Amino acid sequence: MVQQLECSFQKSKITPFAEKLENPLSKQKISTLQINLGKRCNLACSHCHVDASPKRTEELSPEICQQLIAIIQKFPQIKVVDLTGGAPEMLHGFRPIVEAARETGKEVIVRSNLTIYFETGFRDIPEYCARHQVRVVASLPCYLEDNVDKMRGNGVYEKSIQALQWLNKLGYGQESSLILDLVYNPPLPTSEKFSLAPPQEALEQDYKKFLKEHFDIDFNYLLTITNLPIGRSKFHLEKYQLHQKYLGFLEQNFNPDTVDSLMCRNELSIDYLGNVYDCDFNQMENIPAKSTLNQKLTVMDLLKADNLDLIQDVKTANYCYGCTAGAGSSCGGALI
């Protein structure tokens, strides 16, 4: 693994994120619809900001599913439909939403833990995704087995490798229409020696070299994503009395050049109940998006208004420093 830059930081008082910005964080024209289909998952990863697990039961209802399909069909300005969870492949609405989005010419992303392919009832998912040319963004927080299993559970690395080989046989990572990306997350800290992710392009080459030499695996891009201090990551940091210090470290590494590219500016994040948020992180912290009239929004509100662009400014919080530290972080990886 590439050596990470480490930093010990003692600051306890955090500057509110909004005060770091020269202007309010304005919303731009919506082009991405990110849908969290629910919190049920076959894994319970230590860094999961959603708190997903096999014990969770929350998932999309048929009613909200139909509303989302109506949104997808109604608004050609939506270019990307990004499906997450939980394990999105095992949740209600996954296939109908994929098919509605592909029928209207939109790119579909599924954020997969890969191991779902080996669960009863979901073993046709790789072929299904290939048939519909779904872009697979797969979590592999390290290319070494021990590190992955520590974060995601024993045996996850082995199944992930098998799943990647399966996807390669279908053409993923090789054919231009079958994109396979991997996601790197830094290890959660247990001391004040915090670190940001290594440079994305260099780490991508390390991943490609190792996975090709050891497993004959090909993939397209590596996305480096900072662990934001919410969900299980926040619980972990609090356990080691590091939460405020980690926020201080992220603030210290704030990079204003990342702000223009923040994913929250041109996306809507929708939860399984149909509520609208600026991003998946605000969704998990229950900070709803507000209209220009300061009203909370739902998918039905968007349909009734016949307008996706009802939000003027993005709601921010101190964990936004995680998306703006260093080279930046988003669901699409580094920002600069």
Side-chain angles (χ1 to χ4, degrees):
M1 181 61 65
V2 173
Q3 181 64 40
Q4 297 181 4
L5 175 66
E6 295 186 343
C7 178
S8 180
F9 189 63
Q10 300 294 330
K11 183 174 180 178
S12 58
K13 186 177 180 181
I14 309 301
T15 305
F17 182 78
E19 295 181 12
K20 283 282 188 181
L21 306 177
E22 294 181 359
N23 300 295
L25 190 60
S26 60
K27 208 77 167 174
Q28 299 172 342
K29 188 176 180 68
I30 299 302
S31 59
T32 297
L33 194 67
Q34 186 175 69
I35 305 168
N36 188 302
L37 295 175
K39 301 192 177 186
R40 188 159 57 94
C41 187
N42 60 311
L43 299 179
C45 301
S46 64
H47 62 295
C48 180
H49 69 278
V50 181
D51 279 337
S53 80
K55 296 181 180 179
R56 304 300 293 260
T57 59
E58 303 96 324
E59 65 181 305
L60 195 70
S61 69
E63 179 185 6
I64 302 301
C65 179
Q66 288 305 309
Q67 292 175 13
L68 287 166
I69 289 172
I71 287 275
I72 289 166
Q73 294 172 335
K74 189 179 185 68
F75 294 99
Q77 74 186 75
I78 298 174
K79 306 302 181 187
V80 177
V81 176
D82 187 342
L83 301 178
T84 184
E89 302 98 325
M90 71 188 301
L91 297 169
H92 181 79
F94 172 70
R95 296 183 191 230
I97 290 173
V98 165
E99 289 159 28
R102 294 300 295 142
E103 286 169 3
T104 52
K106 306 182 194 306
E107 179 182 20
V108 177
I109 296 171
V110 59
R111 298 190 179 270
S112 182
N113 66 32
L114 296 175
T115 65
I116 189 64
Y117 300 167
F118 302 98
E119 299 288 341
T120 301
F122 304 102
R123 292 175 182 171
D124 66 330
I125 291 294
E127 284 79 7
Y128 177 85
C129 288
R131 188 163 63 251
H132 292 282
Q133 297 182 340
V134 174
R135 183 172 191 155
V136 176
V137 177
S139 179
L140 193 72
C142 183
Y143 54 71
L144 300 176
E145 182 173 9
D146 186 54
N147 290 352
V148 171
D149 284 358
K150 281 181 179 178
M151 293 179 74
R152 307 189 63 211
N154 291 334
V156 168
Y157 181 83
E158 182 179 356
K159 285 186 176 180
S160 297
I161 293 299
Q162 293 173 6
L164 292 172
Q165 292 170 332
W166 187 349
L167 291 169
N168 275 179
K169 288 179 181 178
L170 295 172
Y172 272 98
Q174 296 159 353
E175 298 178 15
S176 60
S177 61
L178 297 177
I179 304 299
L180 172 60
D181 298 333
L182 302 183
V183 175
Y184 165 85
N185 297 90
L188 292 170
T190 56
S191 73
E192 294 177 29
K193 290 185 176 181
F194 304 122
S195 62
L196 298 175
Q200 184 168 280
E201 290 185 6
L203 187 57
E204 178 180 288
Q205 294 308 310
D206 288 342
Y207 263 72
K208 286 187 171 181
K209 184 174 185 292
F210 184 90
L211 293 176
K212 187 65 175 177
E213 289 181 355
H214 290 80
F215 304 107
D216 196 27
I217 287 172
D218 296 304
F219 68 94
N220 294 95
Y221 304 105
L222 180 72
L223 313 178
T224 56
I225 298 181
T226 300
N227 293 314
L228 266 67
I230 58 178
R232 290 200 189 106
S233 293
K234 181 179 179 180
F235 178 80
H236 170 92
L237 291 165
E238 289 176 338
K239 175 182 175 182
Y240 288 92
Q241 299 181 327
L242 296 172
H243 178 244
Q244 283 296 106
K245 292 174 182 177
Y246 181 65
L247 276 174
F249 166 74
L250 295 176
E251 181 191 348
Q252 183 191 40
N253 286 276
F254 172 72
N255 184 348
D257 292 339
T258 63
V259 174
D260 286 346
S261 301
L262 287 170
M263 63 181 184
C264 55
R265 305 193 71 178
N266 60 11
E267 82 166 21
L268 296 177
S269 173
I270 313 295
D271 71 7
Y272 62 93
L273 297 172
N275 299 308
V276 178
Y277 303 81
D278 291 307
C279 71
D280 191 51
F281 305 117
N282 280 3
Q283 183 183 143
M284 295 310 121
E285 289 294 288
N286 197 29
I287 301 177
K290 297 285 186 72
S291 71
T292 53
L293 300 176
N294 201 37
Q295 296 174 330
K296 296 179 182 179
L297 295 169
T298 66
V299 174
M300 183 56 73
D301 293 328
L302 301 176
L303 286 169
K304 288 180 178 178
D306 193 22
N307 189 355
L308 296 181
D309 299 295
L310 299 178
I311 304 165
Q312 181 172 332
D313 295 325
V314 174
K315 296 294 182 183
T316 62
N318 286 346
Y319 51 76
C320 297
Y321 284 120
C323 292
T324 54
S329 175
S330 74
C331 290
L335 298 175
I336 57 173

